[in-house]
Amino acid sequence: RKEVEQDPGPFNVPEGATVAFNCTYSNSASQSFFWYRQDCRKEPKLLMSVYSSGNEDGRFTAQLNRASQYISLLIRDSKLSDSATYLCVVSLSGSARQLTFGSGTQLTVLP
Amino acid sequence: SQTIHQWPATLVQPVGSPLSLECTVEGTSNPNLYWYRQAAGRGLQLLFYSVGIGQISSEVPQNLSASRPQDRQFILSSKKLLLSDSGFYLCAWRPGLASNTGELFFGEGSRLTVL
């Protein structure tokens, strides 16, 4: 079983749609969770951290379910500029070899 | 502010040739440094990480090596490239000691094609 698993997609959605991505992780000792965004042929960049109580940043909402070991990202009112690959990232705090990346979910927002 | 530079951005190399990718970080000291590889349509694979000068940890056996000759310099090398070495190589850094966040800051990447 992969340490971090994501549905690769692609998700093709119309502008204005709401889309949700899920991610599961295998190591129950994982402490920190993140969503990164990677544009085509570019480097990944942090989109948002995921907190236990859930958190929102504008149109983006992230949630964590420790019992089921999954993380979700919800994008409301999709924009064309949201088209990218979204990477789920899990961290074991205290270790330099901390971050484990999922293979990413590709999103295309269509006009 | 901190910045990370990685070069070259693109290179095409024949099988069996050597490789050297360089990464430098500015505006911070004693960072943790990382080399990742991303094959087409795949996730990021951690190749090497370093917590200090001369300290290199290898994650996967391969024909690549890494060195950290200075605090903010990280080099990825190979003596003889294989076809399977093709991919998108990313250098990254994060704060070192006492950091408990997971945010990584990536360089712009080096796209390697081995022919």
Side-chain angles (χ1 to χ4, degrees), chain A residues 32 34 36 38 40-46 85 87 89 91 93-104, chain B residues 32 34 36 38 41-44 46 49 51 59 88 90 94 99-109 111:
Chain A
S32 304
F34 310 87
Y36 276 67
Q38 185 175 22
C40 186
R41 302 179 73 84
K42 298 288 188 179
E43 74 276 20
K45 293 182 180 178
L46 179 67
T85 297
L87 305 172
V89 185
S91 171
S93 293
S95 166
R97 188 235 179 273
Q98 275 201 13
L99 301 185
T100 302
F101 285 77
S103 55
Chain B
N32 288 345
Y34 304 81
Y36 285 86
Q38 187 176 37
R42 309 269 310 264
L44 273 70
L46 180 61
Y49 69 93
V51 299
E59 287 295 301
F88 190 41
L90 289 154
R94 58 185 288 273
S99 171
N100 60 2
T101 73
E103 183 173 6
L104 274 180
F105 302 91
F106 287 90
E108 293 184 343
R111 195 164 300 278

Side-chain angles (χ1 to χ4, degrees), chain A residues 6-74:
Chain A
Q6 294 182 249
D7 181 344
F11 285 66
N12 298 318
V13 303
E15 239 180 323
T18 295
V19 61
F21 307 136
N22 288 328
C23 165
T24 58
Y25 59 95
S26 60
N27 192 333
S28 59
S30 299
Q31 295 294 316
S32 304
F33 309 90
F34 310 87
W35 284 101
Y36 276 67
R37 171 194 168 126
Q38 185 175 22
D39 293 315
C40 186
R41 302 179 73 84
K42 298 288 188 179
E43 74 276 20
K45 293 182 180 178
L46 179 67
L47 176 66
M48 60 194 302
S49 302
V50 185
Y51 302 120
S52 297
S53 55
N55 50 297
E56 192 173 300
D57 183 1
R59 298 181 292 108
F60 298 83
T61 301
Q63 293 195 316
L64 167 65
N65 185 320
R66 286 188 185 272
S68 301
Q69 295 181 207
Y70 81 78
I71 308 142
S72 64
L73 176 68
L74 182 77

Side-chain angles (χ1 to χ4, degrees), chain B residues 15-89:
Chain B
V15 169
S17 64
L19 171 74
S20 181
L21 302 178
E22 189 163 342
C23 172
T24 58
V25 180
E26 297 177 0
T28 188
S29 58
N30 198 31
N32 288 345
L33 296 173
Y34 304 81
W35 278 111
Y36 285 86
R37 177 170 61 202
Q38 187 176 37
R42 309 269 310 264
L44 273 70
Q45 179 188 32
L46 180 61
L47 301 176
F48 300 95
Y49 69 93
S50 171
V51 299
I53 296 174
Q55 300 180 61
I56 309 294
S57 296
S58 175
E59 287 295 301
V60 293
Q62 59 209 320
N63 68 322
L64 299 171
S65 62
S67 61
R68 185 170 177 173
Q70 300 180 47
D71 181 44
R72 290 169 289 177
Q73 184 185 26
F74 205 24
I75 298 171
L76 183 70
S77 304
S78 174
K79 292 182 179 178
K80 289 186 178 181
L81 285 169
L82 306 172
L83 287 174
S84 58
D85 291 325
S86 294
F88 190 41
Y89 289 81

